[in-house]
């Protein structure tokens, strides 16, 4: 009896550990995805500057260093920055001026935007104190107030941090929305193919085979060539979402059709048929809930592909175009090998953001799939 009790307790502890690991995956994935979308919604508030604004004399500037101790050794509770001087315009070399220090400020005034798309405001999370009387070391004029660039600037003098935050809106809208709509269309057509007659099944599956055989990139480039050269962000997003739906429905449709064919022969479905339930009710109440986990996995596998597709298309100039920001066109700076060797992390921050978001999605889908 003692050995049986110990074996039962061991099995219970092991089962609890597995349950905690699954819940931890689900919680971590949900937290990552929620944080990304929260940042995307509040991007204008979090970004200190307009992502399209050019700053002359600050092209390819390095990240701004935050200081708490000044040149004379005095400690300051509020972080401050030194003004950067352009030492070599040709090599774009900058140096700090220790006689020009400016403290950072919370909720400073900046460019005007609509918070959550509803309220007009010009407050931002952080920035440089513009009041010249607060200059830590010496007085100065307002027009010499420096800017804080946490990730430096690009070759046009635009703040990389502001552009990275603003780019989340486009990339996190196009990729996931295109994935969800393509998955929904594929599931619908797969259900129809799996429950309809042979003729409808054959037509839909041959259409899916033909769509999967088409080269996706060539199809997208051909469709883009039929549109105007310059596309506003809204039309570019609609174009990419439409393309993703057109080329992405086939694979989930085939998976759904196979699941429906397998599940419609199960006893509980045959019992529902015997009770006289309609096909729609059988699909919605009996078949789809039992096919949910494989379909969640399938859609979670499509999302990284669509995110990378949006990144590649924007990198090639097919998606959103300058001066608007997306993770794809921000990675164009990484094509300069000299800059990439000098600042690899700064130029690859969009790729790091994509990696973290996809990791969060995979953890979330894995937690949902394994949830009891």
């Amino acid at each position: 009896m003692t050995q049986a009790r110990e074996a039962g307790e061991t099995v219970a502890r092991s089962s609890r550990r597995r349950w905690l690991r699954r819940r931890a995956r689900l919680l971590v994935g949900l937290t990552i995805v929620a944080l990304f979308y929260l940042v995307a919604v509040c991007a204008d508030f979090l970004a200190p500057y307009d992502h399209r604004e050019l700053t002359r004399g600050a092209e390819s500037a390095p990240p701004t260093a935050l200081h708490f101790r000044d040149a004379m050794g005095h400690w300051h509770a509020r972080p401050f920055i030194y003004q950067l001087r352009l030492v070599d315009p040709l090599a774009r070399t900058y140096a700090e001026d220790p006689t020009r220090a400016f403290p950072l400020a919370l909720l400073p005034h900046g460019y005007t935007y609509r918070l959550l798309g509803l309220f007009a405001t010009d407050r931002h999370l952080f920035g440089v104190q513009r009041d010249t009387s607060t200059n830590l070391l010496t007085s100065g004029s307002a027009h010499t107030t420096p800017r804080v660039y946490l990730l430096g600037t690009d070759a046009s003098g635009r703040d990389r941090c502001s552009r990275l935050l603003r780019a989340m809106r486009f990339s996190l809208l196009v990729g996931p929305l295109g994935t969800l709509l393509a998955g929904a269309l594929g599931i619908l057509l797969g259900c129809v193919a799996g429950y309809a007659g042979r003729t409808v099944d054959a037509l839909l599956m041959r259409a899916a085979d033909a769509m999967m055989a088409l080269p996706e990139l060539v199809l997208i480039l051909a469709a883009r060539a039929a549109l105007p050269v310059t596309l506003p962000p809204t039309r570019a997003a609609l174009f990419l979402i439409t393309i993703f739906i057109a080329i992405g429905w086939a694979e989930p449709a085939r998976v759904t059709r196979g699941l429906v064919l397998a599940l419609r022969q199960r006893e509980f479905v045959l019992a529902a048929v015997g009770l006289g339930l309609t096909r729609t009710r059988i699909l919605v109440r009996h078949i789809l809930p039992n096919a949910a986990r494989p379909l969640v996995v399938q859609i979670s596998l499509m999302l990284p592909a669509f995110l990378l597709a949006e990144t590649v298309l924007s990198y090639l100039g097919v998606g959103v175009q300058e001066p608007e920001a997306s993770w794809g066109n921000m990675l164009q700076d990484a094509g300069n090998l000299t800059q990439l060797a000098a600042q690899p992390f700064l130029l690859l921050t969009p790729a790091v953001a994509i990696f973290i978001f996809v990791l969060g999605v995979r953890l979330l889908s894995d937690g949902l799939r394994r949830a009891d």
Side-chain angles (χ1 to χ4, degrees):
M1 293 293 294
T2 303
Q3 293 180 349
R5 187 182 303 109
E6 291 178 352
E9 292 176 353
T10 302
V11 171
R13 286 195 299 267
S14 177
S15 177
R16 180 171 178 79
R17 283 196 297 268
R18 289 195 299 269
W19 183 85
L20 290 176
R21 284 197 296 268
R22 291 195 294 267
R23 292 298 175 182
R25 289 194 196 98
L26 182 63
L27 181 60
V28 172
L30 181 61
T31 302
I32 293 174
V33 173
L35 283 177
F36 266 80
Y37 276 99
L38 179 63
V39 170
V41 171
C42 302
D44 287 315
F45 171 71
L46 299 174
Y49 310 111
D50 189 346
H51 64 286
R52 296 163 297 188
E53 185 178 357
L54 308 179
T55 305
R56 293 187 177 275
E59 295 85 357
S60 301
T64 304
L66 303 181
H67 300 275
F68 290 90
R69 190 182 299 275
D70 60 31
M72 295 179 290
H74 297 155
W75 175 265
H76 300 272
R78 181 190 296 186
F80 64 92
I81 64 172
Y82 290 121
Q83 184 156 8
L84 288 178
R85 296 185 293 108
L86 183 59
V87 178
D88 187 349
L90 184 61
R92 288 295 167 189
T93 304
Y94 294 83
E96 291 183 334
D97 184 358
T99 64
R100 303 286 296 163
F102 294 83
L104 297 186
L106 289 176
L107 303 179
H109 293 281
Y111 71 93
T112 303
Y113 65 94
R114 301 191 71 85
L115 182 62
L116 302 178
L118 301 174
F119 312 104
T121 180
D122 63 350
R123 293 286 185 174
H124 298 267
L125 179 62
F126 68 95
V128 178
Q129 177 66 47
R130 293 187 174 185
D131 186 2
T132 58
S133 63
T134 60
N135 190 349
L136 296 177
L137 301 178
T138 183
S139 61
S141 57
H143 70 274
T144 60
T145 302
R147 293 188 167 198
V148 53
Y149 299 121
L150 296 183
L151 297 178
T153 63
D154 60 14
S156 300
R158 297 173 298 197
D159 180 31
R160 279 203 186 103
C161 179
S162 299
R163 290 182 63 77
L164 180 67
L165 294 173
R166 194 62 170 77
M168 288 187 182
R169 288 190 178 179
F170 187 88
S171 298
L172 294 186
L173 171 67
V174 171
L177 185 58
T179 302
L180 291 176
L181 293 179
L185 179 61
I187 291 172
L188 175 61
L189 295 179
C191 289
V192 173
Y195 231 99
R198 292 184 177 180
T199 303
V200 176
D201 183 15
L203 289 175
L204 290 176
M205 290 302 100
R206 298 299 77 75
D209 293 339
M211 189 59 64
M212 293 176 65
L214 293 175
E216 298 178 0
L217 185 58
V218 175
L219 179 64
I220 294 173
L221 293 177
R224 178 65 180 87
L227 298 175
V229 177
T230 303
L231 283 179
T234 303
R235 292 190 62 186
L238 291 176
F239 165 73
L240 291 178
I241 290 173
T242 303
I243 289 294
F244 289 161
I245 295 173
I247 65 177
W249 68 268
E251 194 166 351
R254 292 189 64 86
V255 173
T256 305
R257 180 246 187 191
L259 292 171
V260 170
L261 289 177
L263 291 172
R264 64 182 296 183
Q265 302 301 324
R266 300 287 293 273
E267 290 80 2
F268 61 90
V269 176
L270 296 177
V273 174
L275 291 174
L277 298 182
T278 63
R279 291 184 176 183
T280 302
R281 187 177 180 84
I282 293 173
L283 282 170
V284 174
R285 296 293 300 274
H286 298 280
I287 293 181
L288 285 181
N290 289 276
R293 291 186 179 182
L295 293 177
V296 168
V297 175
Q298 177 62 37
I299 293 176
S300 68
L301 292 175
M302 291 169 54
L303 178 56
F306 281 6
L307 274 177
L308 293 177
E310 184 277 323
T311 302
V312 171
L313 294 173
S314 296
Y315 179 84
L316 296 175
V318 177
V320 68
Q321 299 167 348
E322 299 285 356
E324 299 298 329
S326 77
W327 286 339
N329 61 20
M330 285 188 68
L331 285 173
Q332 290 177 351
D333 294 338
N336 189 327
L337 298 182
T338 303
Q339 292 185 4
L340 182 61
Q343 300 176 327
F345 175 76
L346 297 180
L347 297 183
L348 295 177
T349 46
V352 175
I354 294 173
F355 170 78
I356 296 175
F357 180 74
V358 171
L359 176 63
V361 172
R362 294 302 300 272
L363 289 174
L364 179 59
S365 65
D366 189 61
L368 291 174
R369 179 173 62 89
R370 295 173 180 269
D372 292 332

